[in-house]
Amino acid sequence: MRAVVLFGTLLYFLLMGQSLAQDFQVVSFNIRYGTPGDGENKWKSRRDRVMSIFKKYKDGIIATQEALPLQIDEILDEVSQLDVVYRSRTIDEKGGESNAIFYNKKTWRVIESETFWFSDTPSEPASKSWGNTLPRIATLVVMEHKPSGKKLRLLNAHLDHRSDNSRERSTELLLRKLMTEVAEMPTILLGDFNEEPEGENILRLKEYFTDAYSGSELEGCTYHNWNGGSHCPRIDYIFYLKSGLRLKGFVIDRWKNKFFYPSDHYPIVASFAFEQP
């Protein structure tokens, strides 16, 4: 009898270990580019606060928007567990803002990556169309989750903040990239979409993807403009395809230090598990 109980206990912990090996976290975080114009919130002053976020989620994937090469280099120096995929939106590959995707080197391996522009010529660096005030980009990666051997497709986007037409056309380009041009696999679409949940483009994405946030829209605040609080626009999202992924939790990280925040956006965090075949 004791042998049966022992075997059952060992089997339970084995299965639990296999289950946990399938789990991972994904973060979307507009870290705000470094500019002296931010005064008390300039990069030098808030650098350590940003590093606290990266250290907190260093075991997962942290998809950023507005990251400058200087910021990227400092994050990698500070958090040695991480590596990164990025391409600046400028002609120079490392000349400006990017949608940098940081990942834990022990847990993930990058299989392929691509950055494209929201324009009529998406493969042309620094191109812009449709009313974009600046070149806008998305970075797409396919990664292998080493503990499980599963593959994950993740697209990190930053849509224009002024042009409705640009966001509409950009949304359609995203859907073509993810729904019609690639092989089926677990897929996450995230980033700063510069549009609130009732917007037509967010509703369009929800025709295919599930929003990881399911709480009250009043409490869904992500862009707080350095003011904090829980009543502000929700413009940052983590969407996923239910096929191949199970959502285990979602958090808007409202951490601050002495009344100061890491960025003008809150990091948002989703926990997932790969579904068994």
Side-chain angles (χ1 to χ4, degrees), residues 174-223:
L174 291 177
L175 289 174
R176 288 200 302 274
K177 280 281 184 182
L178 293 175
M179 307 308 295
T180 63
E181 297 181 5
V182 292
E184 182 178 344
M185 73 174 65
T187 299
I188 294 173
L189 167 63
L190 51 68
D192 178 353
F193 290 82
N194 272 309
E195 188 164 303
E196 294 191 56
E198 66 275 9
E200 291 184 4
N201 299 303
I202 300 303
L203 297 177
R204 173 71 171 141
L205 291 172
K206 287 183 178 180
E207 293 178 18
Y208 299 90
F209 290 86
T210 300
D211 188 349
Y213 178 76
S214 60
S216 163
E217 289 303 342
L218 186 63
E219 297 288 333
C221 158
T222 64
Y223 175 62

Side-chain angles (χ1 to χ4, degrees), residues 23-27 29 50-63 75-84 101-108 143 145 253 267 269:
D23 296 357
F24 61 94
Q25 283 186 319
V26 171
V27 181
F29 185 23
V50 172
M51 296 303 170
S52 294
I53 296 296
F54 278 83
K55 290 174 182 177
K56 185 175 182 179
Y57 300 110
K58 66 182 184 298
D59 292 332
I61 300 171
I62 307 171
I75 290 166
L76 293 177
D77 286 343
E78 184 80 15
V79 190
S80 61
Q81 296 90 341
L82 298 176
D83 206 343
V84 70
I101 301 172
F102 296 84
Y103 60 95
N104 187 287
K105 292 180 286 189
K106 289 185 177 180
T107 307
W108 297 95
M143 311 178 82
H145 183 246
D253 192 329
V269 187

Side-chain angles (χ1 to χ4, degrees), residues 233-250:
R234 181 160 80 100
I235 61 174
D236 304 272
Y237 300 85
I238 298 176
F239 298 107
Y240 68 103
L241 293 179
K242 286 188 174 181
S243 175
L245 290 173
R246 176 165 52 90
L247 179 68
K248 300 191 72 174
F250 182 92

Side-chain angles (χ1 to χ4, degrees), residues 58-74:
K58 66 182 184 298
D59 292 332
I61 300 171
I62 307 171
T64 65
Q65 301 85 44
E66 298 193 14
L68 292 174
L70 171 65
Q71 294 171 300
I72 293 169
D73 289 343
E74 292 191 11

Side-chain angles (χ1 to χ4, degrees), residues 19-233:
S19 175
L20 290 174
Q22 306 280 329
D23 296 357
F24 61 94
Q25 283 186 319
V26 171
V27 181
S28 182
F29 185 23
N30 185 321
I31 67 170
R32 175 70 176 176
Y33 65 95
T35 170
D38 283 336
E40 63 186 4
N41 290 306
K42 63 182 180 293
W43 174 247
K44 184 178 179 180
S45 298
R46 63 188 175 89
R47 176 190 178 281
D48 289 345
R49 298 194 291 274
V50 172
M51 296 303 170
S52 294
I53 296 296
F54 278 83
K55 290 174 182 177
K56 185 175 182 179
Y57 300 110
K58 66 182 184 298
D59 292 332
I61 300 171
I62 307 171
T64 65
Q65 301 85 44
E66 298 193 14
L68 292 174
L70 171 65
Q71 294 171 300
I72 293 169
D73 289 343
E74 292 191 11
I75 290 166
L76 293 177
D77 286 343
E78 184 80 15
V79 190
S80 61
Q81 296 90 341
L82 298 176
D83 206 343
V84 70
V85 172
Y86 80 100
R87 202 277 184 215
S88 296
R89 67 187 184 185
T90 59
I91 292 177
D92 182 352
E93 290 190 11
K94 296 187 177 181
E97 293 179 36
S98 68
N99 292 1
I101 301 172
F102 296 84
Y103 60 95
N104 187 287
K105 292 180 286 189
K106 289 185 177 180
T107 307
W108 297 95
R109 180 174 71 90
V110 174
I111 298 173
E112 59 185 81
S113 66
E114 172 193 6
T115 293
F116 60 91
W117 282 256
F118 291 123
S119 76
D120 289 323
T121 52
S123 60
E124 180 183 339
S127 59
K128 53 183 180 178
S129 307
W130 315 331
N132 285 6
T133 54
L134 299 163
R136 294 291 187 182
I137 59 172
T139 294
L140 175 65
V141 294
V142 175
M143 311 178 82
E144 180 188 18
H145 183 246
K146 294 180 181 180
S148 66
K150 303 280 189 178
K151 290 182 181 179
L152 175 74
R153 178 183 295 113
L154 184 144
L155 194 153
N156 179 17
H158 192 182
L159 273 58
D160 197 72
H161 65 306
R162 291 181 177 172
S163 171
D164 292 338
N165 182 56
S166 174
R167 288 194 297 275
E168 180 181 354
R169 299 287 294 274
S170 299
T171 297
E172 295 305 318
L173 178 56
L174 291 177
L175 289 174
R176 288 200 302 274
K177 280 281 184 182
L178 293 175
M179 307 308 295
T180 63
E181 297 181 5
V182 292
E184 182 178 344
M185 73 174 65
T187 299
I188 294 173
L189 167 63
L190 51 68
D192 178 353
F193 290 82
N194 272 309
E195 188 164 303
E196 294 191 56
E198 66 275 9
E200 291 184 4
N201 299 303
I202 300 303
L203 297 177
R204 173 71 171 141
L205 291 172
K206 287 183 178 180
E207 293 178 18
Y208 299 90
F209 290 86
T210 300
D211 188 349
Y213 178 76
S214 60
S216 163
E217 289 303 342
L218 186 63
E219 297 288 333
C221 158
T222 64
Y223 175 62
H224 58 82
N225 196 26
W226 306 113
N227 297 314
S230 58
H231 302 303
C232 68

